[in-house]
Amino acid sequence: MAKPISLEKILFSQGFGTRRYCSDLVYADLVKVNGVLAQDPEERIPTDGLMLNVEGRDWEYHEKAYIVFNKPANYECSHKTTHHPSVYSLLPSPFVERGLQCVGRLDYDTTGLLLISDDGQFIHKMTTPKKNIGKVYEITTPDPITQAQMDHLLNGVVLDDDPRPCHATACEQLSENTLAMTIVEGRYHQVKRMMAAVGNHVAKLHRIKIGAYAMPQDLAQGQWRWLYPDDLKNLSQSEEQK
Ligand code: URA
């Protein structure tokens, strides 16, 4: 059982604003704790299974935030964007306040499974090639995919900025022009550059799986949801464990 924490600190930790602002939210009768209107920002509250309601919005308490987001095209995975709006503009504002970061960026035109968290260790674990966690991309190509191209991807291709070849750990042809490819690294534009290196191109790129965690079928584009311990276990499954 986690140690009880003052309500003001809890609200602050969840990204509802400064300590002072969080305290004022309570005094303004805008916070409910497990369905009951809160009176005192200093009250110590147990956090296990805690459900808040802040300014009319239900909010599950999570000490660390781990969320899955179904990224639409034409959004950048950055807080300071250049040409397109930010994926963070599609998330509730407390996530931005508490400093959530994308776990490895997807290009603005790539869609699909994106993890977002404020747990630095988790972000590192999911992105380092050392943990061997596969990321599966569904690739649509303008030209038919050949066996020779898949063999080349599996045997390794050298990209222009690094002499070390990068390999697909799995390639499954889904149709003449679609391929599911697994990689464990996250180099800049890696999939697009790998496909160009074997003489094809990427017309559409969609991430469908990380580790043993597949994008939930019922999560619409632009929607997010919390990840729970079982999801995190599936996400951490390395290529060897499969
Ligand atoms: N590889 C790419 O080329 N783009 C992405 O968005 C992700 C992987």
Side-chain angles (χ1 to χ4, degrees):
M1 184 105 162
K3 220 171 121 197
I5 312 176
S6 79
L7 180 56
E8 176 205 82
K9 268 195 193 160
I10 289 175
L11 292 167
F12 172 72
S13 74
Q14 299 301 286
F16 285 104
T18 60
R19 298 269 294 263
R20 173 71 191 270
Y21 184 80
C22 290
S23 181
D24 287 347
L25 283 172
V26 179
Y27 289 129
D29 288 345
L30 291 171
V31 179
K32 287 185 187 162
V33 173
N34 298 323
V36 178
L37 194 63
Q39 310 280 345
D40 178 6
E42 299 300 326
E43 185 188 349
R44 293 184 164 269
I45 313 260
T47 54
D48 293 311
L50 170 61
M51 178 61 92
L52 299 164
N53 180 290
V54 182
E55 294 184 276
R57 175 165 60 187
D58 283 335
W59 194 261
E60 270 178 46
Y61 171 84
H62 288 257
E63 188 183 351
K64 293 274 181 213
Y66 307 94
I67 67 165
V68 55
F69 179 64
N70 188 348
K71 181 189 174 295
N74 300 318
Y75 283 85
E76 292 179 26
C77 289
S78 163
H79 284 284
K80 288 206 176 101
T81 60
T82 45
H83 298 296
H84 302 276
S86 166
V87 289
Y88 299 105
S89 67
L90 299 173
L91 299 173
S93 54
F95 284 147
V96 181
E97 282 282 323
R98 70 190 271 186
L100 262 68
Q101 302 288 339
C102 293
V103 181
R105 293 181 179 190
L106 294 175
D107 296 336
Y108 84 93
D109 52 354
T110 302
T111 56
L113 177 47
L114 180 65
L115 305 175
I116 304 178
S117 178
D118 57 0
D119 179 347
Q121 273 188 352
F122 171 75
I123 296 175
H124 177 71
K125 178 169 151 193
M126 295 309 300
T127 48
T128 176
K130 286 191 188 131
K131 294 283 176 192
N132 216 16
I133 295 172
K135 284 92 188 168
V136 187
Y137 292 87
E138 189 175 295
I139 305 162
T140 308
T141 58
D143 301 322
I145 295 149
T146 65
Q147 186 60 49
Q149 287 170 359
M150 291 199 293
D151 291 343
H152 195 169
L153 292 165
L154 289 164
N155 290 332
V157 299
V158 175
L159 303 178
D160 47 17
D161 59 344
D162 193 335
R164 290 169 305 143
C166 48
H167 302 257
T169 56
C171 274
E172 185 192 351
Q173 187 154 11
L174 305 174
S175 74
E176 197 177 30
N177 291 70
T178 51
L179 172 69
M181 178 167 86
T182 309
I183 56 173
V184 297
E185 297 161 289
R187 298 195 210 171
Y188 183 65
H189 294 326
Q190 182 169 335
V191 173
K192 290 176 184 164
R193 291 157 73 212
M194 285 176 77
M195 292 307 289
V198 301
N200 208 323
H201 288 285
V202 173
K204 264 190 356 198
L205 189 56
H206 180 70
R207 187 154 65 186
I208 52 177
K209 202 170 180 186
I210 297 181
Y213 180 87
M215 170 76 93
Q217 295 280 324
D218 59 345
L219 188 65
Q221 270 205 351
Q223 300 295 305
W224 68 274
R225 73 172 52 149
W226 294 107
L227 291 165
Y228 295 95
D230 277 353
D231 301 320
L232 299 179
K233 215 157 99 191
N234 283 334
L235 279 165
S236 305
Q237 205 169 95
S238 71
E239 287 297 283
E240 288 96 21
Q241 290 169 307
K242 285 191 188 160

